[in-house]
Amino acid sequence: LVNGIPTSLGSVVIPPNPNRGVFSIIVKDTNASLAFLFDARGQLVRTIPIEANKPIRVTGLSAGMYFLTIPHYYEGGAGFKEKIIVLH
């Protein structure tokens, strides 16, 4: 970490967000293989394998706000976290 900012060349893009139950996880320059989707209460709702160019389908989830995390994504062990909005 440099002044609290993770040091890594890795990047994550999650299109589209908001989504209607299908989105992608595009990661660059990382060995991350799993992501976790939590609901607004912090309950784990999905474990998601990260596979290149494979859409993630969460059509069984209720509309609302979720949090996608990728543990130990950045150098030094810091994790990635992003808000995901599912619409119906």
Side-chain angles (χ1 to χ4, degrees), residues 3-87:
N3 295 329
I5 300 170
T7 56
S8 173
L9 297 176
S11 66
V12 180
V13 180
I14 304 171
N17 189 20
N19 66 74
R20 296 203 180 273
V22 179
F23 61 91
S24 297
I25 302 172
I26 302 166
V27 296
K28 182 178 178 187
D29 298 329
T30 183
N31 293 326
S33 60
L34 285 177
F36 300 93
L37 193 64
F38 294 88
D39 65 16
R41 296 176 309 220
Q43 299 293 314
L44 177 66
V45 294
R46 290 274 181 6
T47 299
I48 302 168
I50 298 173
E51 300 176 44
N53 301 317
K54 184 176 180 187
I56 309 300
R57 299 191 189 286
V58 292
T59 52
L61 296 179
S62 300
M65 181 174 42
Y66 295 85
F67 295 94
L68 181 104
T69 64
I70 303 173
H72 311 292
Y73 180 77
Y74 297 105
E75 292 175 11
F80 170 85
K81 185 175 183 180
E82 179 72 29
K83 185 185 328 180
I84 304 289
I85 305 293
V86 176
L87 307 172

